Amino acid sequence: MSSPSNAPADPAHSADPARVAVLAGGVGGSRFVRGVRAAFPEAQIDVIVNTADDVTLHGLRICPDIDTMLYALGDGIDSGKGWGRADETWSIMAELKTYGVEPTWFALGDRDVATHLVRTQLLAAGATATEITAALASRWIDDPLLRVLPMTDDRVETHVVIADPQATAGKRAVHFQEFWVRLHAEPPVLDVVQVGLDSARATDAVTEALTTADLVLVGPSNPVVSIGPILGVAGVRPALRATGARVLGFAGILGGAPVLGMAHRLLPAIGVEVSAAAVGLHYGPRSRPGGILDAWVMDTTDAESVDAVTRGGLPALAVPLLMSSPADTAAFIRAGVEFAA
Ligand code: FO1
């Protein structure tokens, strides 16, 4: 007789959570997921991945956060770059450059292109993002109790509005990938727009994973372009507020700067200070309308802001958050679970 599926986990006295749902982006997200598996070896883990980074280039549909998650968990990732395939070759890019066919600023390795060819032809055949991800995962994921789920089957793309004196209104929108990869996140950000988000719905697999979980973990991914879009998809926040699970969030900002990526360039544009405390309160306690968290875990660097977060109605904890190994990540995840119990 298994324990009630929604019984909140209390690892101090009872078995670990049977079902864990994780909200994650790409590079940091995959490191976090390895820690979740190390923390809870027996659990079903459903990883809900951001797809607002997706882009179509050279006629191919590219899903960076999904592919990074699959490659990383399947040991096929270029661990130096944190994205793309290991042992990559670049003949296709060299040929495109020779043809003078743009864009060449987005580096597509030959092995990586095979993934985009598979995805693009399955999309053309009418398969959903969820079906395609499951098909790709059958090659990359050998963990029968781990599922990688796109946040939605609908098309959502993050665009960044930047100042541009040449443009008529003095500003223009660029795709997030152009902002990050070609423009190196340099231009001042006036706004972040997730195109298509207002009509995107969470898949049934995503809402089921969230509502039946014993534990939900919001990973330390970019709050604006990774976690933000997931929370913005219709059905996700209601599922997070309805779930019987504990919902724990983990800061990706330490000492006022993101550990990875460019969140510091984007948070001000949505009116959120670049600090672990501000991000936690931005996600908000479940006791507040729209809030999603039962607890917020920050790094010891930010221990002095535990009180401010707690006064904001969100129980907070400060422990070492660096994901230098799955065991280190598992340690802070378990510390968060025990704190929230
Ligand atoms: N990031 C870069 O900085 N430069 C690239 O040329 C690049 C290519 C690329 C190709 C496929 C892919 O899945 C990811 C790629 N990324 C590249 C990383 C990508 O921009 C990020 O993984 C996310 O979109 C941001 O988290």
Side-chain angles (χ1 to χ4, degrees), residues 243-264:
T243 185
R246 287 273 188 282
V247 183
L248 273 62
F250 297 82
I253 309 270
L254 273 61
V259 177
L260 286 168
M262 78 324 283
H264 58 300

PDB file of all heavy atoms in Angstrom, residues 243-264:
ATOM      1  N   THR A 243      -1.789  22.182  -5.413  1.00  0.00           N
ATOM      2  CA  THR A 243      -1.126  20.916  -5.101  1.00  0.00           C
ATOM      3  C   THR A 243      -1.015  20.686  -3.598  1.00  0.00           C
ATOM      4  O   THR A 243      -0.889  21.632  -2.808  1.00  0.00           O
ATOM      5  CB  THR A 243       0.278  20.858  -5.748  1.00  0.00           C
ATOM      6  OG1 THR A 243       0.826  19.555  -5.510  1.00  0.00           O
ATOM      7  CG2 THR A 243       1.225  21.892  -5.162  1.00  0.00           C
ATOM      8  N   GLY A 244      -1.081  19.415  -3.219  1.00  0.00           N
ATOM      9  CA  GLY A 244      -0.877  19.067  -1.805  1.00  0.00           C
ATOM     10  C   GLY A 244       0.598  18.996  -1.461  1.00  0.00           C
ATOM     11  O   GLY A 244       0.971  18.784  -0.320  1.00  0.00           O
ATOM     12  N   ALA A 245       1.455  19.187  -2.470  1.00  0.00           N
ATOM     13  CA  ALA A 245       2.909  19.087  -2.246  1.00  0.00           C
ATOM     14  C   ALA A 245       3.431  20.353  -1.578  1.00  0.00           C
ATOM     15  O   ALA A 245       2.812  21.406  -1.630  1.00  0.00           O
ATOM     16  CB  ALA A 245       3.611  18.910  -3.591  1.00  0.00           C
ATOM     17  N   ARG A 246       4.572  20.226  -0.953  1.00  0.00           N
ATOM     18  CA  ARG A 246       5.340  21.406  -0.543  1.00  0.00           C
ATOM     19  C   ARG A 246       5.968  21.974  -1.816  1.00  0.00           C
ATOM     20  O   ARG A 246       6.442  21.210  -2.666  1.00  0.00           O
ATOM     21  CB  ARG A 246       6.476  20.972   0.398  1.00  0.00           C
ATOM     22  CG  ARG A 246       5.998  20.573   1.775  1.00  0.00           C
ATOM     23  CD  ARG A 246       5.908  21.795   2.664  1.00  0.00           C
ATOM     24  NE  ARG A 246       5.630  21.442   4.051  1.00  0.00           N
ATOM     25  CZ  ARG A 246       4.423  21.101   4.506  1.00  0.00           C
ATOM     26  NH1 ARG A 246       3.400  21.015   3.662  1.00  0.00           N
ATOM     27  NH2 ARG A 246       4.231  20.822   5.776  1.00  0.00           N
ATOM     28  N   VAL A 247       5.971  23.286  -1.963  1.00  0.00           N
ATOM     29  CA  VAL A 247       6.594  23.928  -3.131  1.00  0.00           C
ATOM     30  C   VAL A 247       7.785  24.740  -2.636  1.00  0.00           C
ATOM     31  O   VAL A 247       7.624  25.717  -1.907  1.00  0.00           O
ATOM     32  CB  VAL A 247       5.597  24.838  -3.880  1.00  0.00           C
ATOM     33  CG1 VAL A 247       6.263  25.430  -5.122  1.00  0.00           C
ATOM     34  CG2 VAL A 247       4.347  24.042  -4.281  1.00  0.00           C
ATOM     35  N   LEU A 248       8.990  24.295  -3.029  1.00  0.00           N
ATOM     36  CA  LEU A 248      10.221  24.950  -2.588  1.00  0.00           C
ATOM     37  C   LEU A 248      10.913  25.605  -3.762  1.00  0.00           C
ATOM     38  O   LEU A 248      11.021  24.995  -4.833  1.00  0.00           O
ATOM     39  CB  LEU A 248      11.195  23.904  -2.025  1.00  0.00           C
ATOM     40  CG  LEU A 248      11.104  23.525  -0.568  1.00  0.00           C
ATOM     41  CD1 LEU A 248       9.763  22.906  -0.271  1.00  0.00           C
ATOM     42  CD2 LEU A 248      12.214  22.560  -0.225  1.00  0.00           C
ATOM     43  N   GLY A 249      11.399  26.836  -3.527  1.00  0.00           N
ATOM     44  CA  GLY A 249      12.146  27.521  -4.585  1.00  0.00           C
ATOM     45  C   GLY A 249      13.600  27.693  -4.177  1.00  0.00           C
ATOM     46  O   GLY A 249      13.904  27.808  -2.987  1.00  0.00           O
ATOM     47  N   PHE A 250      14.491  27.690  -5.161  1.00  0.00           N
ATOM     48  CA  PHE A 250      15.930  27.811  -4.924  1.00  0.00           C
ATOM     49  C   PHE A 250      16.480  28.970  -5.739  1.00  0.00           C
ATOM     50  O   PHE A 250      16.215  29.074  -6.946  1.00  0.00           O
ATOM     51  CB  PHE A 250      16.643  26.503  -5.298  1.00  0.00           C
ATOM     52  CG  PHE A 250      16.209  25.336  -4.437  1.00  0.00           C
ATOM     53  CD1 PHE A 250      15.044  24.643  -4.729  1.00  0.00           C
ATOM     54  CD2 PHE A 250      16.935  24.976  -3.314  1.00  0.00           C
ATOM     55  CE1 PHE A 250      14.621  23.589  -3.918  1.00  0.00           C
ATOM     56  CE2 PHE A 250      16.520  23.921  -2.509  1.00  0.00           C
ATOM     57  CZ  PHE A 250      15.362  23.234  -2.802  1.00  0.00           C
ATOM     58  N   ALA A 251      17.246  29.841  -5.076  1.00  0.00           N
ATOM     59  CA  ALA A 251      17.736  31.052  -5.729  1.00  0.00           C
ATOM     60  C   ALA A 251      18.884  30.746  -6.681  1.00  0.00           C
ATOM     61  O   ALA A 251      19.761  29.937  -6.383  1.00  0.00           O
ATOM     62  CB  ALA A 251      18.218  32.030  -4.662  1.00  0.00           C
ATOM     63  N   GLY A 252      18.829  31.410  -7.864  1.00  0.00           N
ATOM     64  CA  GLY A 252      19.956  31.288  -8.799  1.00  0.00           C
ATOM     65  C   GLY A 252      20.821  32.550  -8.744  1.00  0.00           C
ATOM     66  O   GLY A 252      21.814  32.685  -9.455  1.00  0.00           O
ATOM     67  N   ILE A 253      20.395  33.479  -7.882  1.00  0.00           N
ATOM     68  CA  ILE A 253      21.150  34.731  -7.675  1.00  0.00           C
ATOM     69  C   ILE A 253      21.877  34.602  -6.336  1.00  0.00           C
ATOM     70  O   ILE A 253      21.263  34.206  -5.340  1.00  0.00           O
ATOM     71  CB  ILE A 253      20.184  35.938  -7.579  1.00  0.00           C
ATOM     72  CG1 ILE A 253      19.214  35.957  -8.762  1.00  0.00           C
ATOM     73  CG2 ILE A 253      20.951  37.245  -7.432  1.00  0.00           C
ATOM     74  CD1 ILE A 253      19.636  36.706  -9.953  1.00  0.00           C
ATOM     75  N   LEU A 254      23.174  34.884  -6.348  1.00  0.00           N
ATOM     76  CA  LEU A 254      23.964  34.826  -5.106  1.00  0.00           C
ATOM     77  C   LEU A 254      24.688  36.165  -4.977  1.00  0.00           C
ATOM     78  O   LEU A 254      25.342  36.609  -5.928  1.00  0.00           O
ATOM     79  CB  LEU A 254      25.031  33.727  -5.194  1.00  0.00           C
ATOM     80  CG  LEU A 254      24.678  32.302  -4.787  1.00  0.00           C
ATOM     81  CD1 LEU A 254      23.570  31.721  -5.638  1.00  0.00           C
ATOM     82  CD2 LEU A 254      25.922  31.425  -4.899  1.00  0.00           C
ATOM     83  N   GLY A 255      24.510  36.825  -3.831  1.00  0.00           N
ATOM     84  CA  GLY A 255      25.240  38.074  -3.616  1.00  0.00           C
ATOM     85  C   GLY A 255      24.970  39.100  -4.698  1.00  0.00           C
ATOM     86  O   GLY A 255      25.864  39.823  -5.123  1.00  0.00           O
ATOM     87  N   GLY A 256      23.743  39.118  -5.203  1.00  0.00           N
ATOM     88  CA  GLY A 256      23.373  40.166  -6.158  1.00  0.00           C
ATOM     89  C   GLY A 256      23.750  39.870  -7.599  1.00  0.00           C
ATOM     90  O   GLY A 256      23.633  40.734  -8.463  1.00  0.00           O
ATOM     91  N   ALA A 257      24.226  38.654  -7.865  1.00  0.00           N
ATOM     92  CA  ALA A 257      24.562  38.327  -9.270  1.00  0.00           C
ATOM     93  C   ALA A 257      24.130  36.897  -9.588  1.00  0.00           C
ATOM     94  O   ALA A 257      24.181  36.025  -8.717  1.00  0.00           O
ATOM     95  CB  ALA A 257      26.064  38.467  -9.482  1.00  0.00           C
ATOM     96  N   PRO A 258      23.716  36.646 -10.835  1.00  0.00           N
ATOM     97  CA  PRO A 258      23.336  35.282 -11.192  1.00  0.00           C
ATOM     98  C   PRO A 258      24.574  34.390 -11.268  1.00  0.00           C
ATOM     99  O   PRO A 258      25.636  34.849 -11.704  1.00  0.00           O
ATOM    100  CB  PRO A 258      22.689  35.436 -12.576  1.00  0.00           C
ATOM    101  CG  PRO A 258      23.228  36.701 -13.124  1.00  0.00           C
ATOM    102  CD  PRO A 258      23.544  37.582 -11.954  1.00  0.00           C
ATOM    103  N   VAL A 259      24.432  33.125 -10.856  1.00  0.00           N
ATOM    104  CA  VAL A 259      25.563  32.194 -10.936  1.00  0.00           C
ATOM    105  C   VAL A 259      25.897  31.936 -12.410  1.00  0.00           C
ATOM    106  O   VAL A 259      27.051  31.862 -12.812  1.00  0.00           O
ATOM    107  CB  VAL A 259      25.202  30.859 -10.233  1.00  0.00           C
ATOM    108  CG1 VAL A 259      26.331  29.849 -10.367  1.00  0.00           C
ATOM    109  CG2 VAL A 259      24.884  31.116  -8.767  1.00  0.00           C
ATOM    110  N   LEU A 260      24.834  31.852 -13.240  1.00  0.00           N
ATOM    111  CA  LEU A 260      25.006  31.604 -14.683  1.00  0.00           C
ATOM    112  C   LEU A 260      24.107  32.585 -15.434  1.00  0.00           C
ATOM    113  O   LEU A 260      23.068  32.982 -14.922  1.00  0.00           O
ATOM    114  CB  LEU A 260      24.492  30.197 -15.022  1.00  0.00           C
ATOM    115  CG  LEU A 260      25.285  28.954 -14.625  1.00  0.00           C
ATOM    116  CD1 LEU A 260      24.408  27.726 -14.827  1.00  0.00           C
ATOM    117  CD2 LEU A 260      26.543  28.840 -15.462  1.00  0.00           C
ATOM    118  N   GLY A 261      24.501  32.972 -16.625  1.00  0.00           N
ATOM    119  CA  GLY A 261      23.579  33.658 -17.523  1.00  0.00           C
ATOM    120  C   GLY A 261      23.405  35.135 -17.231  1.00  0.00           C
ATOM    121  O   GLY A 261      24.262  35.785 -16.643  1.00  0.00           O
ATOM    122  N   MET A 262      22.252  35.666 -17.635  1.00  0.00           N
ATOM    123  CA  MET A 262      22.100  37.106 -17.737  1.00  0.00           C
ATOM    124  C   MET A 262      20.856  37.626 -17.013  1.00  0.00           C
ATOM    125  O   MET A 262      20.300  38.672 -17.375  1.00  0.00           O
ATOM    126  CB  MET A 262      22.118  37.528 -19.209  1.00  0.00           C
ATOM    127  CG  MET A 262      20.849  37.326 -20.050  1.00  0.00           C
ATOM    128  SD  MET A 262      19.795  35.880 -19.779  1.00  0.00           S
ATOM    129  CE  MET A 262      20.736  34.626 -20.599  1.00  0.00           C
ATOM    130  N   ALA A 263      20.444  36.953 -15.964  1.00  0.00           N
ATOM    131  CA  ALA A 263      19.237  37.392 -15.229  1.00  0.00           C
ATOM    132  C   ALA A 263      19.382  38.829 -14.734  1.00  0.00           C
ATOM    133  O   ALA A 263      18.405  39.580 -14.652  1.00  0.00           O
ATOM    134  CB  ALA A 263      18.971  36.442 -14.057  1.00  0.00           C
ATOM    135  N   HIS A 264      20.607  39.239 -14.445  1.00  0.00           N
ATOM    136  CA  HIS A 264      20.826  40.598 -13.921  1.00  0.00           C
ATOM    137  C   HIS A 264      20.499  41.661 -14.971  1.00  0.00           C
ATOM    138  O   HIS A 264      20.220  42.810 -14.632  1.00  0.00           O
ATOM    139  CB  HIS A 264      22.278  40.764 -13.445  1.00  0.00           C
ATOM    140  CG  HIS A 264      23.299  40.495 -14.510  1.00  0.00           C
ATOM    141  ND1 HIS A 264      23.403  39.276 -15.145  1.00  0.00           N
ATOM    142  CD2 HIS A 264      24.237  41.280 -15.071  1.00  0.00           C
ATOM    143  CE1 HIS A 264      24.373  39.321 -16.030  1.00  0.00           C
ATOM    144  NE2 HIS A 264      24.901  40.526 -16.006  1.00  0.00           N
TER     145      HIS A 264
END
